[in-house]
């Protein structure tokens, strides 16, 4: 299920969508409301993808009714309501995407360059992954050419960004090696200890930064 305005010919055929899944709310530091913390991370991650050139930003909702998540997006942002990565990729393809990346909602300081590297990898492979380097493992982002090949669509019905061994399971499903190259990894903020990865000297993650003001980062 999707909500989107009519696409113009100038709209990009590359989409970058942030996945919002409230059931996987990250641990908030003491004194900070968990719901506000989740939305701050989500909004900052969305701002990363919304700032990408020649890429259409989107939002994937699971469950489908999340007005608070929709409120952080820019007007006209395509909204996809799907419970699986396979369904989300199919819905983005229906919107006109020829390639898409789906990004975890707890990577507010994700460098745009890493998303760009995933799209570039699709020039020689049907998919590419950015693996989480810290607590919980899993993936920060996963990109694919669309429509998905049957083997990848089947695998993505059972694997998501939070699956600890996601990359290994997806590679095991591939018919031959090299179909899922791995780009540089990054971190996700799923526990209070993960806040130590935030660098106050780097630009971005403004909503998370404002919410954490007065709460020293763990080092």
């Amino acid at each position: 299920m999707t909500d989107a305005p009519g696409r113009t010919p100038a709209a990009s055929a590359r989409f970058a969508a942030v996945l919002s899944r409230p059931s996987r709310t990250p641990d908030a530091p003491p004194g900070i409301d968990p719901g506000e913390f989740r939305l701050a991370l989500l909004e900052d991650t969305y701002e990363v993808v919304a700032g990408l050139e020649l890429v259409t930003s989107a939002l994937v909702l699971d469950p489908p009714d999340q007005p608070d998540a929709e409120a952080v997006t820019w007007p006209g942002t395509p909204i996809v309501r799907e419970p699986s990565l396979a369904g989300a990729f199919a819905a983005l393809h229906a919107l006109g995407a020829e390639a898409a990346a789906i990004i975890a909602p707890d990577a507010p300081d994700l460098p745009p360059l890493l998303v760009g590297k995933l799209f570039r990898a699709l020039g020689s492979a049907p998919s590419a992954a950015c693996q989480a380097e810290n607590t919980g493992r899993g993936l920060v982002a996963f990109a694919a050419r669309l429509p998905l090949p049957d083997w990848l669509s089947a695998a993505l019905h059972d694997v998501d960004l939070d699956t600890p061994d996601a990359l290994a399971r997806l590679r095991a499903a591939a018919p031959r090696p090299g179909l899922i190259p791995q780009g540089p990894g990054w971190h996700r903020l799923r526990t209070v200890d993960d806040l130590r990865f935030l660098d106050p000297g780097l630009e971005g993650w403004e909503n998370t930064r404002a919410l954490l003001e007065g709460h020293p980062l763990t080092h």
Side-chain angles (χ1 to χ4, degrees):
M1 184 188 306
T2 60
D3 302 337
R7 296 181 69 250
T8 65
S12 172
R14 296 191 300 177
F15 281 56
V18 180
L19 172 63
S20 177
R21 185 172 286 171
S23 62
R24 311 285 175 89
T25 298
D27 296 335
I32 294 180
D33 179 79
E36 290 185 18
F37 186 59
R38 177 183 71 84
L39 288 174
L41 297 180
L42 174 68
E43 183 168 5
D44 284 336
T45 307
Y46 169 79
E47 290 293 337
V48 171
V49 303
L52 295 171
E53 294 185 1
L54 304 177
V55 175
T56 298
S57 57
L59 186 66
V60 177
L61 301 180
D62 175 27
D65 185 21
Q66 297 182 48
D68 55 353
E70 291 187 50
V72 310
T73 64
W74 296 0
T77 296
I79 306 294
V80 170
R81 307 171 193 276
E82 291 288 344
S84 71
L85 293 184
F89 277 119
L92 292 170
H93 180 55
L95 292 173
E98 297 175 3
I102 297 180
I103 295 101
D106 45 24
D109 58 341
L110 179 67
L113 177 65
L114 295 191
V115 182
K117 285 180 179 293
L118 293 181
F119 281 121
R120 282 194 292 276
L122 298 183
S124 57
S127 57
C130 172
Q131 193 162 17
E133 295 183 327
N134 59 325
T135 308
R137 300 294 288 178
L139 301 176
V140 177
F142 188 78
R145 294 199 302 252
L146 303 177
L148 295 174
D150 290 343
W151 64 267
L152 184 54
S153 180
L156 288 175
H157 276 289
D158 300 317
V159 174
D160 62 26
L161 301 180
D162 292 319
T163 304
D165 58 346
L167 183 55
R169 290 178 59 178
L170 293 173
R171 283 178 166 170
R176 63 181 186 277
L179 296 184
I180 310 179
Q182 181 180 352
W186 196 248
H187 49 260
R188 294 177 56 181
L189 305 184
R190 288 176 281 196
T191 71
V192 174
D193 186 57
D194 292 335
L195 297 178
R196 62 192 171 91
F197 293 103
L198 291 170
D199 183 350
L202 293 180
E203 295 182 358
W205 56 281
E206 298 300 332
N207 296 284
T208 304
R209 192 190 306 268
L211 202 57
L212 291 174
E213 188 174 349
H215 298 262
L217 301 181
T218 302
H219 289 285

